[in-house]
Amino acid sequence: MKMNKIVSLVLALALVVGVMAGCGAASGSAVENDANSPQSAAQEAVVHATLTVTGADGNAKEVALECKEGTTLAMAMLEAGLISEDEAKAGFITIIDGEEAKWDPDQAFWQLLDSTGTMTQVGAGEIVLKEGDSYSFTYTAG
C-alpha cells in the first residue's frame, strides 16, 4: 500500500512537470506571435521620401530616402550619407554630399524647398518625413 502511494506521488509529480513545461512552451509561442502582430509592424513602419540636391554647377541629383516613421529630414540625410552627424544634430546644413555652401565670401547657402518649390519655414532638423514627401536643397549664392 505504501508503494502505491509512492508510485502515485511520482506519477502526479511527473504530470505536474509535464503540464508546466507545456505551459512554458505555449507562453513562448505567444511572445513570438506578438512580435509578428500588426501593432509591431506599425511600430516599425518605413517611410519613403525623395530629396533632390542641386549643386552650384546646376546639376541635380535625386536621392531616395528610406527611414523609420518619425525620422526627420536631417536624420534621413545622415543615414543616406549626405551630411555629417554634427550638421544633422544642429539642423543647420552647410555641406551636402561633400559640397560646401559658404556664406563668406559668396553669400552661398543651401535653400530648402518643399514639393511645391516654396522655401520651408523650418530647417531639416524639424521636418518629420511622411510617406511620399519630396524636398529639395538648392545651392544658392548671392
Side-chain angles (χ1 to χ4, degrees), residues 47 68-73 123-130 133 135:
V47 172
K68 291 181 186 176
E69 191 173 69
T71 301
T72 64
L73 176 56
E126 297 180 50
I127 296 172
V128 176
L129 292 175
K130 296 176 186 68
D133 276 354
Y135 289 94

Side-chain angles (χ1 to χ4, degrees), residues 50-54 60-61 73 77 96 110-120 133-139:
T50 305
L51 177 67
T52 303
V53 178
T54 305
K61 173 183 175 180
L73 176 56
M77 291 174 70
I96 300 177
W110 287 103
Q111 185 178 40
L112 177 56
L113 307 171
D114 65 18
S115 62
T116 66
T118 304
M119 198 162 108
T120 63
D133 276 354
S134 178
Y135 289 94
S136 64
F137 271 101
T138 303
Y139 184 98

Side-chain angles (χ1 to χ4, degrees), residues 3-4 7 14 19 23 26 32 40-41 53 55-56 60 75 88 96 141:
M3 186 63 124
N4 284 342
V7 171
V19 169
C23 289
E32 289 174 23
S40 293
V53 178
M75 292 308 292
I96 300 177

Side-chain angles (χ1 to χ4, degrees), residues 56 87 92-96 98-111 138-142:
E87 289 194 339
F92 186 74
I93 298 170
T94 58
I95 302 172
I96 300 177
E99 185 170 5
E100 185 173 9
K102 292 184 179 182
W103 184 254
D104 291 323
D106 303 326
Q107 295 182 340
F109 64 98
W110 287 103
Q111 185 178 40
T138 303
Y139 184 98
T140 306

Side-chain angles (χ1 to χ4, degrees), residues 75-98:
M75 292 308 292
M77 291 174 70
L78 173 64
E79 290 172 11
L82 295 171
I83 62 173
S84 72
E85 187 172 347
D86 289 340
E87 289 194 339
K89 287 180 181 178
F92 186 74
I93 298 170
T94 58
I95 302 172
I96 300 177
D97 204 20

